[in-house]
């Protein structure tokens, strides 16, 4: 079976469309959306409707921290820009769209795989997996053989080791990386809608369970158009600028 | 509880025919499968109690890397899986014998050692080009096949640049085979392709002298001696070994990877062209270095640093083998200068590049005269001199370690394009530079050499045109250029056809 993995769409229509086009061309049986459908980007309604249709067709989707924040509304503790973005996003959505976000589960387990937005040790706490030690903590918190997460916006592959931190590997795009069945893995496909590793191309990944390979993909898309939509919507300029720099 | 294997048993459709080998790390069985024709081999690691973690991880590593490898220098991957708790891996059962038994008959004649070395280096280069470093090169992992080529076996300690390195992160101890392990491997470095050249050097040393250059250390302290101790020069053991072979072997086992050959392809090329190996102090060395020198190295080794982010193919890209094809018979100064400029540009951008200047001497297909031998030799020598003369103005990076990076070759063939293509293929040339001659009626009918080379070469080809003043004027009545060489857009410009990767795709 071939699984398409998409994390952190962040309401970026151009990036999402480009990734889905590439993944459909490569072929997949099931899609998995790893949270944060909205936030930052200018097309939250489109993103939710698209994912909603995919879920009706059998895709899995989990909730991210931005999705949760939009459902609950902004709070006084939030950063000013974040609050503005969440309020703006909330105003763009109708009741059905908000209800769809609210109903998303925090985790999905399927066969030997776990899908969760942030981590396995406290899915609702939104702690980041940005170090091998954090990866080891997440791997220790689940029996799943492969965990897929979003949240960090940078592609990474960790593998379990006896004791101590997990092994870290910086994936090479387009190359099928073997994920041996004798190991446990934690994979972060990177962000579709807001990559932060210095490369503006959108990130997604394809798992082939038969061949036991995971292919990380980089998909160039019209980020100028996405940035223009963000500016036109009156969202903070920094949200547009970071798409161009991939930062 | 490990599975008990027996003849006739079937594992995922593979019928076990008979055990081949009970190794320390794994068991090998001959197997067959109706869907997979040919001789097959199943490898099953030992998984019981008391097995070391390295060998289990080593099996995982091989299972990851083997399916990604292709070509004549590796066994073809067939299938893998798990039978209850017993993992297995099926690959092509290559015919032939490893170089291991040759150690018992060593010393071998120097020519034989060089020939085996060139075959092994060619196989190693093919692996490096696929982003893999073997890291356990030794006679028992070098298989001499009946077709005369060498294949590499056992990728359990290998490193793939684009895959997670399960061994690097799991073990903070040196991983390798004690007599062959390179100094940087002793320090845990697993991403330098030149580690394979060191291990090949140890193998060649043993085959040439009958002795191990560094013994067979069993302790960590013994292994660390590799960071500062050099071996007894081969000629001190066997004076019959030629100086060029000592030069090449000692360069392989240099402590600093930077002092070794930059690539396996360059080593193979040197082993095949002994008369052109530039001799340095290594060729005449008669003793291992003195106590003071060793002590100095020991101090230096304490602070040595390695670039852990480098990937195997980087090294290959920094040290390409450049070939320039020159027609020494046609006196075209403009083209000759343009070629030199183009070549200079290429070698200047790669400080470790090596340049092979090649010309083809046409040999008639039939009608050999009796006195042609002497005459032929004279023609041959004249061309060698002409090549050297052509190359003289070039500025080549001539540092002490890398010695002279220039060689000259006269090929004899009835078909010049074929001769150039064969040379490029056989020597794993990375980039060929050649000239396109003017437009003449005869060549329009016969097709040009450069067009054919561009179409069929396994490497990048740059076709150079001279900027003749009258170049643009085509022969009368030829409004439409039919020449394949007219691909070059402007006189004096270069046509780059990048076919890199065509070989290892």
């Amino acid at each position: 079976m071939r699984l398409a993995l998409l994390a952190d769409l962040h309401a970026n229509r151009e990036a999402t469309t480009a990734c889905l086009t590439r993944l459909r061309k490569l072929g997949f049986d099931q899609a998995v959306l790893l949270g944060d459908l909205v936030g930052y980007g200018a097309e939250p309604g489109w993103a939710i409707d698209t994912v909603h249709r995919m879920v009706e067709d059998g895709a899995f989707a989990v909730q991210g921290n931005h999705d949760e924040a939009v459902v609950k509304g902004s709070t006084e503790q939030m950063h000013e820009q974040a609050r503005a973005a969440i309020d703006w996003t909330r105003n763009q959505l109708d009741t059905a769209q908000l209800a769809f976000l609210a109903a998303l589960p925090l985790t999905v387990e399927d066969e030997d795989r776990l899908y969760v937005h942030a981590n396995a040790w406290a899915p609702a706490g939104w702690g980041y997996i940005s170090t091998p030690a954090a990866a080891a903590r997440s791997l220790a918190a689940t029996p799943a053989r492969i965990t897929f997460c979003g949240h960090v916006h940078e592609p990474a592959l960790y593998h379990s080791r006896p004791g101590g931190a997990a092994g870290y590997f910086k994936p090479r795009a387009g190359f099928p990386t073997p994920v041996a069945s004798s190991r446990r893995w934690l994979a972060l496909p990177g962000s579709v809608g807001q990559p932060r590793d210095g490369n503006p191309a959108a990130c997604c990944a394809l798992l082939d369970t038969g061949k036991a390979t995971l292919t990380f993909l980089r998909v160039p898309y019209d980020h100028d158009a996405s940035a223009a939509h963000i500016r036109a919507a009156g969202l903070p300029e920094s949200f547009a600028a970071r798409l161009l720099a991939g930062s | 509880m490990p599975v008990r294997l027996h003849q006739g048993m079937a594992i995922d459709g593979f019928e076990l025919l008979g055990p081949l080998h009970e190794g320390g790390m794994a068991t090998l069985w001959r197997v067959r499968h109706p869907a997979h024709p040919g001789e097959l081999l199943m490898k099953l690691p030992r998984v019981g109690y008391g097995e070391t973690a390295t060998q289990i991880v080593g099996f995982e590593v091989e299972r990851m890397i083997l399916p990604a490898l292709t070509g004549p220098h590796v066994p073809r991957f067939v299938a893998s899986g798990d039978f209850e708790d017993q993992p297995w891996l099926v690959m092509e059962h290559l015919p032939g014998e490893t170089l291991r038994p040759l150690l018992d008959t060593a010393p071998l004649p120097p020519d034989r050692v060089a020939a085996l070395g060139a075959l092994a280096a060619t196989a190693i280069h093919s692996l490096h080009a696929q982003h893999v470093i073997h890291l356990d090169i030794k006679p028992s992992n070098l298989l001499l096949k009946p077709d005369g080529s060498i294949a590499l076996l056992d990728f359990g300690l290998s490193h793939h640049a684009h895959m997670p390195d399960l061994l690097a992160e799991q073990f903070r101890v040196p991983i390798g085979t004690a007599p062959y392990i390179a100094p940087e491997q002793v320090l845990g470095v697993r991403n330098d392709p030149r580690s394979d050249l060191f291990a090949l050097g140890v193998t060649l040393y043993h085959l040439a002298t009958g002795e191990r250059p560094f013994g067979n250390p069993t302790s960590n302290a013994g292994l660390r001696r590799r960071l500062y101790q050099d071996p007894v020069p081969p000629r001190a053991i066997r004076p019959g070994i030629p100086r060029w072979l000592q030069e090449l072997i000692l360069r392989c086992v240099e402590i600093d990877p930077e002092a070794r050959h930059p690539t396996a392809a360059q080593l193979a090329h040197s082993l095949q062209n002994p008369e052109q190996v530039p001799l340095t102090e290594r060729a005449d060395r008669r003793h291992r270095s003195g106590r003071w020198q060793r002590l100095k190295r020991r101090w230096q080794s304490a602070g040595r640093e390695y670039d852990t982010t480098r990937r195997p193919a980087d090294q290959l890209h920094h040290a390409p083998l450049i070939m320039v094809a020159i027609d020494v018979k046609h006196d075209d100064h403009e083209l000759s200068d343009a070629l030199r400029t183009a070549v200079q540009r290429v070698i200047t951008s790669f400080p470790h590049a090596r340049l092979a200047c090649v010309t083809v001497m046409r040999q008639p297909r039939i009608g050999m005269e009796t006195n042609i031998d002497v005459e032929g030799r004279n023609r041959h020598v004249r061309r060698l001199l002409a090549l050297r003369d052509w190359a003289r103005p070039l500025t080549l990076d001539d540092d002490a370690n890398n010695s002279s990076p220039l060689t000259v070759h006269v090929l004899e063939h009835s078909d010049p394009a074929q001769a150039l293509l064969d040379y490029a293929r056989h020597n794993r040339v990375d980039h060929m530079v050649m000239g396109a001659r003017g437009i003449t009626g005869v060549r329009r009918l016969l097709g040009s050499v450069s067009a054919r080379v561009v179409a069929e070469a396994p490497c990048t080809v740059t076709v150079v045109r001279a900027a003749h003043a009258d170049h643009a004027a085509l022969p009368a009545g030829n409004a439409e250029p039919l020449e394949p060489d007219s691909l070059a857009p402007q006189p004096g410009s270069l046509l780059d056809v990048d076919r890199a990767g065509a070989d290892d795709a």
Side-chain angles (χ1 to χ4, degrees), chain B residues 35-80:
Chain B
H36 302 284
E39 298 275 314
L40 302 177
L41 197 66
M42 183 178 276
K43 193 169 189 175
L44 306 110
R46 297 172 168 278
V47 287
Y49 291 108
E51 309 306 334
T52 64
T54 340
Q55 65 201 61
I56 305 290
V57 179
F59 183 79
E60 281 185 87
V61 169
E62 183 159 41
R63 203 145 75 146
M64 282 170 75
I65 292 179
L66 196 60
L69 299 177
T70 58
H73 302 293
V74 293
R76 179 174 48 85
F77 167 83
V78 175
S80 80

Side-chain angles (χ1 to χ4, degrees), chain A residues 159 161 167-168 172 182-183, chain B residues 60 160 162-164 169-170:
Chain A
H159 57 88
R161 299 186 305 141
Y168 165 75
R172 171 170 164 117
S182 48
R183 292 248 156 186
Chain B
E60 281 185 87
H160 193 304
H162 304 152
M163 294 184 189
E169 288 163 347
Q170 187 139 0

Side-chain angles (χ1 to χ4, degrees), chain B residues 376-395:
Chain B
R377 226 181 343 263
N378 287 340
R379 284 168 61 204
H380 196 110
V381 170
R382 273 204 303 277
R383 278 166 176 74
L384 281 176
L385 293 173
L387 283 175
R388 289 219 181 273
D389 184 57
W390 177 86
R392 195 157 294 127
L394 288 172
T395 321

Side-chain angles (χ1 to χ4, degrees), chain A residues 90-180:
Chain A
R90 207 175 146 82
N91 285 332
Q92 303 295 307
L93 303 179
D94 60 30
T95 341
Q97 288 166 331
L98 280 170
F100 176 77
L101 281 187
L104 287 174
L106 281 171
T107 61
V108 170
E109 279 173 73
D110 184 36
E111 296 180 14
D112 57 353
R113 298 176 292 273
L114 170 69
Y115 309 126
V116 55
H117 179 64
N119 65 64
W121 73 81
W126 312 119
Y128 289 91
I129 298 176
S130 35
T131 61
R137 189 176 173 197
S138 182
L139 282 162
T142 170
R145 198 176 73 74
I146 311 187
T147 308
F148 287 99
C149 296
H151 203 37
V152 175
H153 292 223
E154 208 169 309
L157 179 62
Y158 296 94
H159 57 88
S160 61
R161 299 186 305 141
Y168 165 75
F169 177 67
K170 184 178 176 179
R172 171 170 164 117
F175 187 88
T177 309
V179 281

Side-chain angles (χ1 to χ4, degrees), chain B residues 423-482:
Chain B
Y423 185 88
R425 217 168 275 135
H426 187 238
N427 290 287
R428 314 250 152 193
V429 166
D430 296 290
H431 190 157
M432 194 194 308
V433 181
M434 66 186 303
R437 266 193 272 142
I439 292 158
T440 63
V442 179
R443 259 174 66 265
R444 206 159 50 243
L445 288 174
L446 298 179
S448 79
V449 172
S450 59
R452 187 161 156 228
V453 169
V454 164
E456 297 177 30
C459 59
T460 302
V461 181
T462 301
V463 177
V464 179
R465 267 193 200 285
H468 286 296
D470 59 347
H471 196 113
L474 290 168
N478 189 1
E480 236 175 287
L482 299 168

Side-chain angles (χ1 to χ4, degrees), chain B residues 182-187 222-230 255-256 294 297-302 304 306:
Chain B
E184 62 274 15
Q185 263 174 286
V186 171
L187 295 176
L223 278 180
R224 286 194 73 87
R225 216 167 290 142
R226 204 141 312 171
L227 300 174
Y228 51 87
Q229 196 164 57
D230 56 332
I255 293 165
D256 181 358
R294 289 207 302 275
R297 283 204 206 107
R298 200 166 174 173
W299 276 102
Q300 285 166 346
S301 76
R304 184 166 292 159
Y306 292 92

